[in-house]
Amino acid sequence: MTDKKTVKTEEGKVFFDSNILVYYADDSDLRKQKIAETLIKDAIASGNGMISTQCLQEFYNVATTKLRCDKKKAKKLIEMFSDNFHVATISVPLILSAIDISIKNKLSFWDSLIVSAANNAGCATVYSEDLNDQQIVGGSKIQNPFAA
């Protein structure tokens, strides 16, 4: 059974997909790194940033494999993200909601889990490079901050 609780979307509350966290640590594309850095710093300053345990796991995996980041440095970044953002723990209700989102919106399960966590937290915006820019899913608007 999915969690049918309606959460009011809060203006200014933003959710970061793991790819934004990865660009924060990736110096191979300085334009994207600067954009990610600005978004993350702004969210930290406002206290409106949100991530999930899924994002932290995906970040660690990509940072230590594709970016070849030192594991201790990746851990420090995860500590920084989790100390400065609200962190949603992936739960069974979020998984079931993600399945519904995936079916309704024809999104991958993993992308739907990001949107499910954002919706559940009342985030107005989901920053992601992987989802459809400007699409609204369940009350959260997807924004690709790297789009031209």
Side-chain angles (χ1 to χ4, degrees):
M1 186 160 125
T2 59
D3 183 5
K4 299 292 183 187
K5 173 178 78 169
T6 302
V7 177
K8 186 176 188 252
T9 301
E10 295 179 36
E11 191 66 35
K13 199 168 183 185
V14 298
F15 193 98
F16 292 95
D17 194 346
S18 56
N19 52 56
I20 308 301
L21 306 181
V22 168
Y23 282 119
Y24 179 86
D26 183 6
D27 59 6
S28 69
D29 187 328
L30 295 179
R31 183 185 79 83
K32 287 184 178 181
Q33 184 183 44
K34 181 68 176 162
I35 292 168
E37 185 178 283
T38 299
L39 291 172
I40 287 170
K41 285 182 178 181
D42 288 350
I44 290 171
S46 69
N48 286 332
M50 181 93 194
I51 53 176
S52 68
T53 51
Q54 173 194 0
C55 295
L56 294 174
Q57 293 165 343
E58 290 176 357
F59 168 80
Y60 182 81
N61 182 55
V62 172
T64 58
T65 58
K66 288 186 179 179
L67 300 183
R68 295 192 169 115
C69 182
D70 176 75
K71 290 179 180 182
K72 289 180 183 179
K73 180 181 177 187
K75 180 182 177 189
K76 288 281 187 203
L77 286 168
I78 286 173
E79 289 169 341
M80 186 274 292
F81 294 139
S82 61
D83 285 347
N84 288 286
F85 294 140
H86 303 281
V87 181
T89 301
I90 300 302
S91 63
V92 172
L94 286 180
I95 292 169
L96 296 173
S97 172
I99 293 168
D100 291 341
I101 289 168
S102 176
I103 292 167
K104 181 179 179 183
N105 296 282
K106 296 178 178 39
L107 297 173
S108 78
F109 170 74
W110 299 111
D111 289 343
S112 297
L113 194 53
I114 295 291
V115 174
S116 176
N119 285 182
N120 190 65
C123 294
T125 303
V126 175
Y127 288 120
S128 177
E129 182 180 47
D130 296 338
L131 295 164
N132 296 324
D133 190 35
Q134 304 303 307
Q135 181 180 9
I136 298 173
V137 181
S140 297
K141 185 175 187 176
I142 312 302
Q143 288 191 0
N144 178 351
F146 311 118

